[in-house]
Amino acid sequence: MKERYHIELVEEHTNANFYSIHLEGQELTEFERFFEKFPLGCEYDEEVDVVIAWLDKIGERGALERYFRPEGRYGDGVGVIPIDVGNKIRLYCLRLSDKILIFGNGGVKDSDTWQNSSTLAPYVKLLIDTSRFVWSRISDGKVLLVDKEIIGNLNFIRDETE
């Protein structure tokens, strides 16, 4: 099955811009869909507040490598926030530079690793594929990273059977 999606800007901050994956046929981006899972007053309010605090910090200071725990494959830029020990909430992202982040989705950690989670694994795999697609287009000159912007063709088709 082919999955079509694009990358779109969702938030602009002083030192970093936040982009997100937007799946064809979905009203909301993956970033927005993540927060929809945790309405105000849910059992994870405190943990969602920690994620929001990290997002504010990243927006102010930049997407510095130390703010993320690597989660994908070595060198693909896929990471997770927060890095706080004990937090059960995971928001996955792709760090392209100190100024550009692409957010996927996430949820409640329900296993020892994302690979063993039927809930979280699809989100991480989508970001791993997106990393491969974006870096391929950057090396071909079809996508440029300029300051806090991603410029170029940000539409992708992913074959989920591969």
Side-chain angles (χ1 to χ4, degrees):
M1 186 174 112
K2 302 244 186 241
E3 182 175 47
R4 296 175 185 272
Y5 65 97
H6 65 274
I7 307 296
E8 68 182 52
L9 179 66
V10 289
E11 290 185 11
E12 293 183 70
H13 295 273
T14 308
N15 285 309
N17 278 354
F18 297 169
Y19 290 80
S20 184
I21 292 171
H22 196 150
L23 300 173
E24 187 176 82
Q26 291 290 336
E27 186 178 330
L28 302 173
T29 66
E30 291 299 283
F31 185 65
E32 293 163 327
R33 291 175 67 200
F34 170 80
F35 285 105
E36 288 279 306
K37 294 176 190 176
F38 305 105
L40 196 58
C42 77
E43 66 180 294
Y44 297 103
D45 271 359
E46 286 181 26
E47 295 187 31
V48 170
D49 287 346
V50 170
V51 170
I52 291 169
W54 274 104
L55 293 173
D56 290 343
K57 183 177 188 175
I58 291 164
E60 285 176 26
R61 298 184 183 167
L64 306 178
E65 201 167 354
R66 66 179 174 265
Y67 295 154
F68 306 90
R69 187 174 61 246
E71 287 287 319
R73 297 184 177 106
Y74 179 76
D76 65 12
V78 176
V80 67
I81 55 173
I83 58 174
D84 303 55
V85 175
N87 199 312
K88 291 183 183 81
I89 300 293
R90 301 286 185 267
L91 175 57
Y92 295 98
C93 60
L94 171 57
R95 182 183 167 275
L96 295 182
S97 73
D98 285 350
K99 296 181 177 193
I100 301 171
L101 277 181
I102 298 173
F103 284 98
N105 206 321
V108 178
K109 182 179 179 187
D110 57 3
S111 67
D112 56 338
T113 66
W114 66 263
Q115 292 93 333
N116 293 332
S117 169
S118 61
T119 309
L120 301 176
Y123 302 138
V124 179
K125 288 177 183 174
L126 177 57
L127 282 165
I128 290 169
D129 287 347
T130 301
S131 173
R132 193 176 74 244
F133 297 155
V134 169
W135 287 113
S136 172
R137 288 187 184 173
I138 288 170
S139 68
D140 291 348
K142 294 177 182 168
V143 167
L144 300 172
L145 304 181
V146 180
D147 194 37
K148 298 186 296 181
E149 289 184 69
I150 309 171
I151 300 169
N153 181 359
L154 300 175
N155 297 302
F156 303 99
I157 301 171
R158 177 175 173 241
D159 192 346
E160 290 184 284
T161 57
E162 291 179 1

